[in-house]
Amino acid sequence: MELTKFGHACVRLEKDGRRLVIDPGGLTDPGALEGADAVLVTHEHFDHFSEEVLRRAAAARPGLRIWTNSSVAKRLDGLGARVTVTGEGDAFDAAGFGIRVHGAWHAVIHPDIPRIPNIGFLVDESLFHPGDALTVPDGPVTTLLLPVHAPWSRVGDLLDYVREVAPRDAYAVHDGALNDIGTAMVEGFLGEHGPGVPARYHRLAPGASARIG
């Protein structure tokens, strides 16, 4: 499987000529959806979901299918059966990728800010994208897409999360608001000079790819 990062929280997975895109939002290069067969959306925040981009992609590719939660699906009204509502505990096939859904809620930002639904996707029993939450799947994870910077997280939380999930590799996502100093600080804690996590830490540049699996 090939993993390509498209800025901030969006990634594209490719295998056997098929393309699966996760969280193409308002900070995502629209080119991420070129040739896409399926899309997964974790939640409704603009940096993970762009109604305009998805509708344009659906118009360009009649076979494109989308799986997401009910709040996002409501905003894609009119696409009919091409949009499927899914939630925690579900399992399905998306363009040849096996998907299992974990989690139900966005991480707490502040008690005064209402939480919204957020689901994470485990792809081919190997790669996990948690969206905006530190959800721990109920099985092994080989590759974790780690949201390294958000209003709701601390570096200490990330260390504990990687230790609990215990993947072989952790790839940084949700880092669009970090400058070079911030990314270096995070790498210092999660990399080989930090207090220790059971994973190799990587950060792909936008548009860069890696072979995983």
Side-chain angles (χ1 to χ4, degrees):
M1 192 189 313
E2 184 175 73
L3 166 70
T4 303
K5 184 178 179 182
F6 281 91
H8 197 57
C10 179
V11 299
R12 185 174 70 200
L13 304 175
E14 299 183 60
K15 71 171 185 180
D16 301 329
R18 299 185 298 273
R19 290 183 170 183
L20 171 69
V21 177
I22 306 176
D23 279 4
L27 303 178
T28 301
D29 180 345
L33 287 160
E34 292 179 2
D37 300 293
V39 176
L40 310 177
V41 180
T42 62
H43 67 289
E44 64 197 68
H45 282 161
F46 86 99
D47 51 336
H48 295 256
F49 165 63
S50 169
E51 179 182 346
E52 177 185 356
V53 168
L54 275 184
R55 287 190 181 277
R56 190 162 59 241
R61 289 185 65 81
L64 182 69
R65 294 282 309 279
I66 302 165
W67 284 263
T68 186
N69 62 31
S70 58
S71 60
V72 173
K74 288 177 183 177
R75 294 175 57 181
L76 294 172
D77 183 53
L79 294 183
R82 298 174 65 182
V83 178
T84 300
V85 174
T86 189
E88 184 171 22
D90 288 349
F92 55 90
D93 178 276
F97 294 84
I99 310 296
R100 288 203 296 126
V101 182
H102 295 271
W105 294 102
H106 192 285
V108 175
I109 299 174
H110 187 274
D112 293 343
I113 299 176
R115 296 175 75 184
I116 63 168
N118 176 95
I119 51 179
F121 298 104
L122 181 64
V123 181
D124 284 348
E125 301 293 336
S126 175
L127 176 143
F128 186 59
H129 192 315
D132 275 5
L134 300 183
T135 303
V136 178
D138 60 7
V141 172
T142 303
T143 302
L144 175 65
L145 301 182
L146 180 65
V148 299
H149 178 256
W152 43 267
S153 68
R154 301 179 306 119
V155 169
D157 298 328
L158 299 179
L159 290 167
D160 290 340
Y161 182 54
V162 176
R163 288 175 177 178
E164 187 171 3
V165 177
R168 184 188 65 196
D169 293 278
Y171 283 84
V173 293
H174 215 280
D175 54 358
L178 286 176
N179 60 17
D180 290 343
I181 296 173
T183 56
M185 290 176 64
V186 172
E187 183 174 355
F189 285 103
L190 292 167
E192 60 183 11
H193 300 299
V197 294
R200 298 173 296 195
Y201 177 71
H202 315 268
R203 183 173 184 266
L204 295 174
S209 301
R211 298 291 298 179
I212 61 172

